[in-house]
Amino acid sequence: MEKLKLLIIQPQKIFLETEFDDIIIPGKDGDFGVFYGHTPFISVIRPGILEIYNNSEVTKCAIHDGYVTVENNIVTILCEVVEKADEIDKTRAEAAKERAEKRIKSNQDEVDFRRAEIALRKAIARIAIS
Amino acid sequence: MGNIRDIKSRIGSIRNTRQITNAMKMVAAAKLRKAQQGIIKARPYADNINHMLATIKFKSRETDLKIFVQPEPTAKCALVVVTADRGLCGSFNSFVIKAALQYLKDHPNTDLFCIGKKGTDIFKKKDVKIIKSYTGLFNEMNFSVSLDIASDLKHHFFSNEYDHIEVIYNEFKSVIQQNIVQKQVLPIPDIKVLEGVSLLDYLYEPGEEEVIEELTNKYINVEIWRILLESSAAEQGTRMTAMDSATDNASDLIESLTLQYNMVRQAAITNEIIEIASGAEAQNQ
């Protein structure tokens, strides 16, 4: 199978540059996969887990935001926060999860609620892969 | 000619000053290197976003969005001035403040936002009203510091408080050259599409508007981040050259004072010898 190229770019650095067979990306409207020959495509990313399959290896990253473009079998992800499993502080993530849950339960106005929901998603993604 | 002890203590104090300026020069050089690396590392991200925005703007049907509509010359403006937190960096702060005051004079319908302690202090002294000031950002330069500023500016812009947002800052050219630059951050200025770049038709998910919104968000964040990095590099560059010439001056001063010290000392010795000699002469007679 032919390989695709992946570039994950952060404002501070290039996070990852690699080749892969298949990738699962948490899009705003749901997770989607990209194989070789995908049509040109832009999507916004929601907080979740990014899974990169290469040969039989899987790399998982927690991603918080950003957008992805697919063009000529090059997948480019631009995001501000993305972490590999060994970079995550699990206790901090768990504390953040509790905080977010409390905020959701206290049922404040809509803006706060949405923010808490995003924070909760981020925390869950972090905990899931760490 | 001064007292021999005075000269000696002056030499001592100048030597101390030279040590400090020299140390500051070294520190500035190290920080400059860090800021320069930051600029280089931010480039792929910023270039990519600019390219995407250019592509989308070229293809988009949503050209009447606020972020794409260029403002009238008399429109309400938010001016962000980027200064340093510390002094001792030559003309770095004074030039950018001068440029800002000129802009305020030419565009009365403008509110001022200030980054950096020096600028905040000076504008306060001059009784210029500051809407918000951000200080102490440059000690610990990381991406999150730019997010606060960016989110404030976005809020002001999208709530229609301001029609455009301008930033005046020092752009880093080289260690000895910094340019004062005025840049429109919002609405997004006309971006040139790089030559040889494919303008493909993309599928948008969820929708074109959401994608543009997310892109705009990211664009402002990274734009502010880049400006902070540029300004920080320029600051360290000017500080380095300022401290370098201060160290040189101190060395020159020490040299000439040492010469003076030796002359005074010599004169004192000659005097003493003359006294002894004439005393002995008097006794002989």
Side-chain angles (χ1 to χ4, degrees):
Chain A
M1 196 157 66
E2 288 197 74
K3 303 251 183 203
L4 291 88
K5 255 196 192 159
L6 174 68
L7 254 176
I8 303 181
I9 308 174
Q10 283 183 289
Q12 304 94 323
K13 60 175 190 271
I14 292 180
F15 176 77
L16 191 66
E17 192 172 359
T18 183
E19 290 193 326
F20 69 98
D21 298 315
D22 177 21
I23 189 168
I24 309 275
I25 300 168
K28 203 152 207 168
D29 281 355
D31 293 4
F32 60 89
V34 179
F35 284 108
Y36 190 83
H38 201 287
T39 181
F41 180 68
I42 302 179
S43 174
V44 178
I45 292 172
R46 69 172 157 76
I49 300 165
L50 190 69
E51 292 172 36
I52 306 153
Y53 294 87
N54 190 23
N55 301 326
S56 54
E57 269 176 56
V58 190
T59 314
K60 288 189 181 182
C61 302
I63 190 163
H64 285 188
D65 63 332
Y67 73 96
V68 53
T69 56
V70 182
E71 190 182 326
N72 297 331
N73 293 312
I74 300 169
V75 177
T76 314
I77 297 176
L78 273 85
C79 61
E80 283 162 12
V81 183
V82 55
E83 293 155 324
K84 285 184 193 155
D86 52 357
E87 293 169 341
I88 293 172
D89 182 347
K90 197 168 181 179
T91 43
R92 239 188 88 193
E94 260 155 18
K97 187 181 164 211
E98 260 172 51
R99 258 201 323 273
E101 277 169 345
K102 240 183 240 166
R103 263 161 61 204
I104 287 174
K105 274 183 198 141
S106 69
N107 238 344
Q108 286 152 340
D109 61 290
E110 200 196 335
V111 179
D112 269 350
F113 184 81
R114 239 186 293 145
R115 274 205 200 130
E117 195 189 344
I118 291 169
L120 182 62
R121 283 219 182 115
K122 287 175 183 171
I124 288 171
R126 276 181 164 156
I127 292 165
I129 69 159
S130 65
Chain B
M1 258 185 220
N3 181 318
I4 195 161
R5 206 176 295 151
D6 286 350
I7 298 174
K8 203 167 181 188
S9 80
R10 262 194 82 190
I11 292 177
S13 87
I14 291 169
R15 201 164 272 150
N16 283 341
T17 313
R18 183 176 63 174
Q19 220 161 32
I20 292 168
T21 54
N22 206 17
M24 282 183 76
K25 187 180 104 185
M26 303 291 191
V27 173
K31 284 189 179 166
L32 170 67
R33 208 170 314 130
K34 221 175 139 196
Q36 264 178 302
Q37 278 167 0
I39 294 174
I40 292 167
K41 283 181 180 162
R43 216 167 270 161
Y45 187 87
D47 286 351
N48 198 303
I49 286 188
N50 279 339
H51 168 60
M52 284 315 304
L53 273 170
T55 315
I56 286 182
K57 193 181 170 188
F58 188 74
K59 292 274 174 193
S60 175
R61 291 171 299 275
E62 321 254 358
T63 44
D64 54 346
L65 285 176
K66 194 178 178 198
I67 53 160
F68 290 140
V69 178
Q70 298 308 312
E72 306 273 316
T74 54
K76 181 106 176 115
C77 170
L79 180 69
V80 184
V81 182
V82 189
T83 63
D85 281 327
R86 292 149 180 267
L88 288 180
C89 45
S91 53
F92 178 85
N93 289 315
S94 57
F95 276 9
V96 77
I97 287 166
K98 220 183 269 170
L101 290 173
Q102 187 60 42
Y103 187 91
L104 287 173
K105 213 167 130 198
D106 296 342
H107 305 79
N109 201 6
T110 302
D111 280 348
L112 186 68
F113 290 72
C114 188
I115 298 171
K117 192 166 170 295
K118 279 282 153 188
T120 310
D121 290 349
I122 290 171
F123 285 124
K124 260 186 200 150
K125 224 177 265 169
K126 288 191 190 290
D127 260 340
V128 183
K129 195 182 153 215
I130 303 173
I131 301 293
K132 190 161 181 189
S133 75
Y134 308 85
T135 57
L137 303 176
F138 296 106
N139 287 334
E140 189 71 41
M141 283 288 280
N142 61 49
F143 184 67
S144 56
V145 299
S146 58
L147 293 179
D148 289 340
I149 302 171
S151 88
D152 278 354
L153 294 179
K154 272 180 276 189
H155 174 77
H156 286 302
F157 181 74
F158 289 111
S159 62
N160 288 327
E161 266 174 83
Y162 301 109
D163 298 315
H164 60 134
I165 293 171
E166 305 277 341
V167 183
I168 292 183
Y169 66 103
N170 279 278
E171 185 194 43
F172 179 80
K173 274 268 165 211
S174 71
V175 178
I176 45 164
Q177 204 194 351
Q178 290 80 32
N179 293 342
I180 302 283
V181 174
Q182 181 198 327
K183 187 176 191 182
Q184 178 178 308
V185 179
L186 279 170
I188 295 164
D190 288 322
I191 308 164
K192 270 189 220 132
V193 179
L194 297 171
E195 256 181 74
V197 162
S198 63
L199 290 167
L200 289 171
D201 257 325
Y202 291 97
L203 282 179
Y204 296 97
E205 190 192 289
E208 192 173 331
E209 222 167 305
E210 279 96 338
V211 172
I212 291 176
E213 193 188 306
E214 175 74 11
L215 266 175
T216 316
N217 253 328
K218 297 267 173 290
Y219 165 83
I220 301 161
N221 291 349
V222 78
E223 206 54 15
I224 298 291
W225 170 237
R226 258 221 306 208
I227 286 168
L228 290 181
L229 282 174
E230 285 276 351
S231 178
S232 164
E235 177 196 342
Q236 300 306 341
T238 33
R239 178 164 297 127
M240 212 175 105
T241 34
M243 288 303 112
D244 189 43
S245 58
T247 309
D248 284 351
N249 282 344
S251 297
D252 288 351
L253 213 54
I254 287 172
E255 202 176 309
S256 77
L257 278 173
T258 311
L259 212 64
Q260 204 183 342
Y261 172 77
N262 286 338
M263 272 160 67
V264 173
R265 196 177 65 109
Q266 200 103 55
I269 291 168
T270 315
N271 251 339
E272 233 167 89
I273 289 172
I274 289 171
E275 264 167 41
I276 292 167
S278 54
E281 195 80 356
Q283 265 185 348
N284 276 345
Q285 278 171 359

